[in-house]
Amino acid sequence: MAEEPVAPVLLDEFKDGVRTLTLNRPEKKNAVDAELWQALGEAFTACRTDPAVRAVVLTGAGGAFCAGADLTAPSDPGTHPNARMRMVNDVALLLHELPVPTIAQVDGVAVGAGWNLALGCDLVVATPRSRFSQIFAKRGLSLDFGGSWLLPKLVGLQQAKRLALLAEMIDAAEAHRLGLVTWVVGPDDIDAYVSDLAGRLAAGPPVALAQNKALLNENADRTLRDALAAEARTQAINFATVDAPAAFLAFAEKREPDFTGRWAVG
C-alpha cells in the first residue's frame, strides 16, 4: 500500500502580488520545529528576492496562529543551543527586513515566539477569539524571536515588563488596547478583510512603501537629524522611479495610479 504524502509544514500560495504563508502543523497548534524554521527562512528569502511579491500574509492552519517553538521536537544532541538560536534569529531578521509590507492574520493562540512572529509583521489582524502570551517565563525561558526589542517599542518599557515577567494570557481586546493588534474583526470576516488589506498594499508603490517601512524601522533608534537625512535620501530614490510622476498624473486625471516601482533614470 502506497504511503500517503506528508503535508508540507508551510503552505505557500501566490496570487495577485500577495504571497500567503500558512504555518501547517495544526496538530501542534502550529508550533515551530526545525523543519518549519527552515521553511520560513527559505520563504522569506524568496519573498525578498522576487519582484512579483508586493505583500506577504502570514497565518496559521487549524484554528491557531502559532503556539511558539516546539519544545517537544527532537533535536540533535550534538548541536549547540547557540546554533539553534542563530537559526531562529536569522528568520526573525529576514522577516523584519523584508522590503514588502507584511500582515499577520491571527485567529486562535499566538504565544511565545509565535506571538513575536506576529509582532514582527508590519500589521496584525486578529479575531475576538485570539489569545496572546509572552509565555517564556512560564517555561523557565527568556524572550526570543525579537521580543525584547519589539515589546518596549510597541508598548513602552513598563507594559513590556508586565507582559514578559507575568507571562499572562491576554485577549484580543487587551492586545488591541495596548497597540499590539492593529485591527480586531470577526472570525467569519477575517479572510476577506486581510485579502482586501493585502490587495491594497500590493497595489501601492513598491519602492515608496519599502522606503517608508525601512525609515520607520530604522529611525526608531536615530536622532531627528539622522532621521531627516534618511528621509531626504529615500525621497530621492522615490523620485527616480516612474511611480511619483504617475501618481501626480493620476491625481490630475482623477483616477487611481498604476504603481510598478520601475526605475526611471536613463
Side-chain angles (χ1 to χ4, degrees), residues 43-224:
F44 292 155
T45 299
C47 291
R48 182 183 184 89
T49 57
D50 185 354
V53 176
R54 302 279 288 264
V56 172
V57 174
L58 189 62
T59 190
F65 181 74
C66 179
D70 187 353
L71 301 180
T72 68
S75 59
D76 182 355
T79 301
H80 196 283
N82 281 352
R84 292 197 291 271
M85 285 309 303
R86 277 197 300 272
M87 179 172 61
V88 173
N89 290 347
D90 287 345
V91 175
L93 281 173
L94 284 168
L95 174 60
H96 178 70
E97 294 175 354
L98 276 179
V100 298
T102 53
I103 306 166
Q105 179 177 330
V106 181
D107 189 20
V109 296
V111 301
W115 190 8
N116 293 335
L117 183 64
L119 294 178
C121 294
D122 301 314
L123 302 168
V124 180
V125 184
T127 72
R129 62 190 183 193
S130 301
R131 296 293 182 270
F132 305 89
S133 175
Q134 294 290 328
I135 202 167
F136 300 96
K138 289 187 177 179
R139 302 291 182 260
L141 299 170
S142 53
L143 302 173
D144 63 20
F145 207 82
S148 64
W149 186 86
L150 289 162
L151 286 172
K153 285 181 167 28
L154 292 168
V155 301
L157 185 57
Q158 190 172 75
Q159 288 292 345
K161 288 178 177 178
R162 163 207 165 185
L163 294 168
L165 300 181
L166 294 175
E168 59 194 356
M169 189 77 73
I170 65 173
D171 60 19
E174 175 73 354
H176 184 256
R177 185 186 69 79
L178 290 171
L180 296 166
V181 163
T182 323
W183 298 279
V184 179
V185 299
D188 293 334
D189 302 322
I190 191 169
D191 286 343
Y193 192 96
V194 171
S195 178
D196 175 73
L197 177 62
R200 286 156 54 198
L201 291 169
V207 174
L209 293 188
Q211 301 301 317
N212 280 338
K213 178 172 174 174
L215 283 169
L216 292 169
N217 282 341
E218 296 165 7
N219 285 346
D221 297 318
R222 285 175 167 165
T223 66
L224 176 59

